[in-house]
Amino acid sequence: MHLILFAPAGVFFLIFACGFAYDRRLIRNGVPLFFALLFLFVALAGEALRVSVRAGGTLLGAAFLLLPLMMLVLAVFLIVNGVTMLRREGRSPANLLSLAAGVGIILVFALRQLALDTRWKPLELVMAPMTGVLTYVSFLFVCFLLYSFVYGRIGHRGRHAVDFVVVLGSGLIGGSRVPPLLAGRLDRGRAAFDAERDKGREPMLLTSGGQGPDEDLPEARAMADYLIAAGVPADRILVEDQSRTTQENLRFSKALMQDRKADYRALVVTNNFHVMRAAQIARKEKVMAQVIGSPTARYFWPSATIREFVAVFLSHRVLNLGICALLTVFGVVLAL
């Protein structure tokens, strides 16, 4: 009978598996995966308690004690990373995200402790709803990170043969040169292209990106030149040079692919921090593709990931902001 503790984990794993089989690009797949792992941990802790109360108690106690410590370590890491971002990438709202997140975590911890120590009613009225909202947003962020990790490693495996490898643009240096960030995408795209050719297939490489006001030529053209210089045959490259956003990248690339093959299958290449949102947009645009990522400099990843999460969060703003509003009201009522 003790195995019944594992039943909730099994149910959530089944829900996750069904969602993953239906469409791997669904970000909400991360929610049942999170609960599956949570209930698995609870079941394992229960088993540990059954075998040894001391061992089980130690496991549960360590989990509760380590959580606040991990949050503080995370805050320090984000602050250090934020300073690195400012030094290497310059000042911009996007580059401030990890620094702001780290300072925010420490500020919330400090205010919460102050509210507990002073029992000052105005502060309690602020902290009660804030705690609920931050818990909800943190839960979504963990689900986003968890599923991004899973999708980035197995989201494109076991699928159909690839007809097109689409590489998304990301801006040029000096108006004409491919920067390291974009070069990483192109190298990852070329590797996927070569892997398909090694299987006896003949895919096309499609570069996607329009011309910005400070660029001498369309990004897609510079990307194609980079690939040709790397040894990709020019007749295996398609150029989509009208897009300005990720949504347009995918929409315009879809039209080119459909013109050549109605039942095409594609891989879309972007940076690893952008994979999940690109997959979400690909699904919205009904592009028959999975998304793979290229490596990103470690210092760049935290701020970029936070930015991607915010974009995904706001893409469902009615639902998410509505829940945040309800949590705020509920928190205020509890604090009164």
Side-chain angles (χ1 to χ4, degrees), residues 163-181:
D163 304 301
F164 298 91
V165 178
V166 183
V167 184
L168 306 184
S170 66
L172 302 175
I173 292 177
S176 61
R177 290 183 291 113
V178 170
L181 189 82

Side-chain angles (χ1 to χ4, degrees), residues 297-314:
R298 291 182 181 178
Y299 76 87
F300 194 85
W301 189 85
S303 287
T305 301
I306 294 170
R307 185 176 69 243
E308 293 298 306
F309 169 72
V310 171
V312 170
F313 182 89
L314 292 178

Side-chain angles (χ1 to χ4, degrees), residues 4-150:
I4 199 170
L5 291 172
F6 291 90
V11 170
F12 278 108
F13 269 122
L14 180 61
I15 294 172
F16 165 72
C18 291
F20 192 77
Y22 173 70
D23 194 331
R24 302 180 182 198
R25 299 170 298 181
L26 286 168
I27 298 178
R28 65 172 179 264
N29 288 338
V31 175
L33 179 59
F34 171 85
F35 281 113
L37 294 174
L38 176 64
F39 281 112
L40 178 60
F41 172 79
V42 171
L44 291 173
E47 281 293 289
L49 281 171
R50 192 178 69 84
V51 174
S52 168
V53 174
R54 182 176 181 180
T58 300
L59 180 63
L60 290 172
F64 283 108
L65 288 174
L66 284 175
L67 185 59
L69 178 61
M70 289 171 60
M71 291 298 294
L72 290 174
V73 171
L74 175 63
V76 173
F77 166 76
L78 288 172
I79 290 172
V80 172
N81 175 258
V83 173
T84 302
M85 279 291 291
L86 292 177
R87 287 177 176 173
R88 296 192 180 186
E89 301 292 330
R91 295 183 181 180
S92 73
N95 293 341
L96 286 169
L97 284 175
S98 60
L99 178 61
V103 172
I105 291 172
I106 291 177
L107 184 62
V108 168
F109 266 90
L111 289 176
R112 183 170 178 76
Q113 190 60 46
L114 183 62
L116 290 173
D117 290 343
T118 64
R119 297 292 180 182
W120 188 37
K121 202 64 178 179
L123 185 56
E124 289 181 338
L125 286 172
V126 171
M127 292 308 300
M130 184 183 293
T131 299
V133 170
L134 289 177
T135 300
Y136 173 68
V137 173
S138 298
F139 162 70
L140 292 182
F141 186 60
V142 170
C143 291
F144 174 79
L145 283 180
L146 178 63
Y147 191 60
S148 294
F149 177 83
V150 172

Side-chain angles (χ1 to χ4, degrees), residues 19-29 147 151 155 159 250 264-266 268 275-291:
F20 192 77
Y22 173 70
D23 194 331
R24 302 180 182 198
R25 299 170 298 181
L26 286 168
I27 298 178
R28 65 172 179 264
N29 288 338
Y147 191 60
Y151 180 84
R159 308 301 279 184
L250 294 167
Y264 71 90
R265 293 286 174 176
V268 174
V275 163
M276 205 68 257
R277 187 158 70 94
Q280 179 192 42
I281 296 171
R283 184 174 187 274
K284 180 180 178 182
E285 291 294 326
K286 296 181 172 57
V287 179
M288 291 183 289
Q290 299 297 333
V291 184

